[in-house]
Each structure stands twice: as C-alpha cells, then as structure tokens.
Amino acid sequence: MPAPAALLVLALGAGAAGAQVPGTLQQFGAPVYPAYEGWYENADGSITLLAGYFNANTEEVVDVPVGANNMIEPGPADQGQPTRFAPGRAWGVFTIRIPGDDPDRRVVWHLTANGETVSVPMHLDPQWIIEPLVDAANGNKPPVVRFAPDGEGFTGPPIGIARELAAAVEVPLELAVWTSDEKPTDNLEAASRRPRPALILRWHLLRGPGDVEFSTPVQEFADSSDQNPTTTATFSAPGEYVLRAEALDETGVGGSGFQCCWTSALVAVRVSE
C-alpha cells in the first residue's frame, strides 16, 4: 500500500537537522511536498514560521497558482507561498508571521500537484525551534544582502518584499546585489561542515505568470567580503513576478539541514508589455 502523503510530509520536516525527502523520484508526474522547516520567536513576541518544499520531479517544473490547489489556512489562502516549484529541495523560501500568544496554534499549507494533494501542518512544537539568524554553536550568521551600496541589509529568512522593480517583456532587467559574509571565530570545524565556496549567490523564480531567464543564475566567490554580483532577468510574459535572491555561506543550502546560515530576500517585479 502506498505510504500516505501526510506521512511523507512529516518525514520531510522531521526536525530541521534531520529533514528527509521522499525516496522515489521521477522525471515527470510526481507530487510536490510542502516542507515545514521550523519556527522562531521575534523580539516583539510574535512567531515566524519558515517553510520550503520538495519537488519530487527531476525534470518537471510545476506551476500551481494560489487557490484551491495551493492554499494556506487559517486566514487568507495567499500568505506568500510559492507558485513556481523547481525540481528538488528548496529550503526556507517563505515565512509566515503569527501572534505568539497561542502555543497550540497551527497553520496548514495544502498543495495539489500532478493530482496528489499534500498538506503540511506548521506548529509550535518546541522540538521545531530553529535559529536561522545565528548558529549558537559558533556564532556564525547569514550573509548580508543589499540591493544598493548603502541600502538596507537583509539577513536570514525572507521577510516581506525587499525590493520592487519594473521591467518589460523580453527586455533584460539588470539585478545587482551587494553581499558580504563575516566568518565565525569560534568552533571553525562546525562552521564549515563540507568544503564549499565562501559565498554563493543564486537567483530563483518564486512566482510569476511566465518564465524568467537569468543570464547568470549562480555565482560563486572564494572571498566572502564585499561582493557585487550582477545578472539580468528576462521575462517571457507580462504580469507580477517575485524573484528570490539566495546567498549561501559554507554551510550550504538550508545550512546543510541545520537552518543556519543563509539569506533569502524577495524582489517583486512588475512586467509590462
């Protein structure tokens, strides 16, 4: 008997350090699994829930518009979740902020792709507490991302829209990022669990009615200080898009499953004819 989807989802989010993925992959036709990464408390007492996904297709990019097949409850169906799902695991692609006055509060993300509905409950179980803004073991922090030389710095999970831009169909839009990453001084062995570039900048499409082609979707740097990677984004259709800039330090994607230390910042682009 096939394993219930809900069990697969629970396996996906089974502890930030031990997140797993379904063992069966296929090129096309597989479902997309929402993934709950964990939660953390903000300075004002509110709670931030961090979520990502796993697209079990190795070739198929899946689009699921917000609606009956891609909704969050309670509250509005649209709470910033992705509608474009690239193959593979995407860590911590959006956040939901909730009041911190109810430890029993649950938020559920329902996602139907290729005919299979999968739901993931996001809860406040203390075992799911994460520390995406600083690694308590060594003081490591996520890279800083700015969209202007002296602009606001963003670190950690994506909170709201960091930058708004306008573009036209089939006209390349330049995207510039100023990023840097300070290395921890304590417990350096834990800071670099596997040899990786000092800093990586990646671009992703989170939402949009068409395709986006990045001229340089991934850039790697041996020196993590004061880098200014640029790329261009070319949009295939008019509409509202959300791009995700992701900066990784040596801990890699998802902090190698430990949820620290990387930064995602969202860029909204209005594309006209």
Side-chain angles (χ1 to χ4, degrees), residues 211-232:
D211 294 323
V212 179
E213 181 177 354
F214 298 103
S215 59
T216 311
V218 180
Q219 296 176 69
E220 299 181 353
F221 303 93
D223 182 353
S224 65
S225 60
D226 299 327
Q227 299 293 343
N228 177 213
T230 62
T231 187
T232 61

Side-chain angles (χ1 to χ4, degrees), residues 12-257:
L12 260 175
Q20 302 173 20
V21 298
T24 301
L25 305 178
Q26 57 194 69
Q27 289 185 314
F28 299 91
V32 177
Y33 299 87
Y36 179 40
E37 319 288 19
W39 64 275
Y40 59 96
E41 185 173 7
N42 303 300
D44 63 1
S46 64
I47 300 295
T48 294
L49 308 174
L50 180 63
Y53 67 83
F54 179 73
N55 177 355
N57 299 284
T58 60
E59 300 292 335
E60 183 181 3
V61 176
V62 178
D63 287 294
V64 187
V66 171
N69 290 332
N70 184 4
M71 60 172 292
I72 291 173
E73 64 175 355
D78 187 352
Q79 297 192 38
Q81 68 269 35
T83 63
R84 169 67 59 91
F85 301 89
R89 181 70 159 95
W91 296 84
V93 298
F94 77 107
T95 56
I96 299 173
R97 181 168 290 202
I98 61 174
D101 57 355
D102 182 4
D104 296 323
R105 187 184 300 269
R106 293 167 68 91
V107 175
V108 182
W109 182 14
H110 306 280
L111 183 61
T112 301
N114 285 320
E116 184 168 346
T117 299
V118 186
S119 301
V120 63
M122 294 179 268
H123 47 72
L124 302 183
D125 186 326
Q127 297 184 69
W128 293 67
I129 294 175
I130 58 175
E131 297 177 319
L133 300 175
V134 59
D135 187 333
N138 56 25
N140 191 20
K141 296 180 180 179
V144 177
V145 169
R146 305 178 192 275
F147 295 98
D150 299 319
E152 179 182 358
F154 299 91
T155 60
I159 305 295
I161 298 297
R163 179 77 163 169
E164 295 184 0
L165 299 170
V169 173
E170 301 297 349
V171 178
L173 170 68
E174 182 172 293
L175 299 171
V177 168
W178 286 258
T179 182
S180 61
D181 183 50
E182 294 184 10
K183 302 307 176 187
T185 57
D186 300 326
N187 196 3
L188 297 180
E189 183 176 351
S192 182
R193 302 178 178 94
R194 183 182 302 175
R196 295 186 174 94
L199 186 64
I200 300 175
L201 195 284
R202 310 196 306 179
W203 283 96
H204 311 270
L205 173 59
L206 191 76
R207 290 180 165 210
D211 294 323
V212 179
E213 181 177 354
F214 298 103
S215 59
T216 311
V218 180
Q219 296 176 69
E220 299 181 353
F221 303 93
D223 182 353
S224 65
S225 60
D226 299 327
Q227 299 293 343
N228 177 213
T230 62
T231 187
T232 61
T234 303
F235 302 85
S236 67
E240 305 289 338
Y241 292 75
V242 178
L243 312 179
R244 182 167 67 93
E246 180 184 47
L248 308 171
D249 71 3
E250 292 98 333
T251 58
V253 292
S256 297

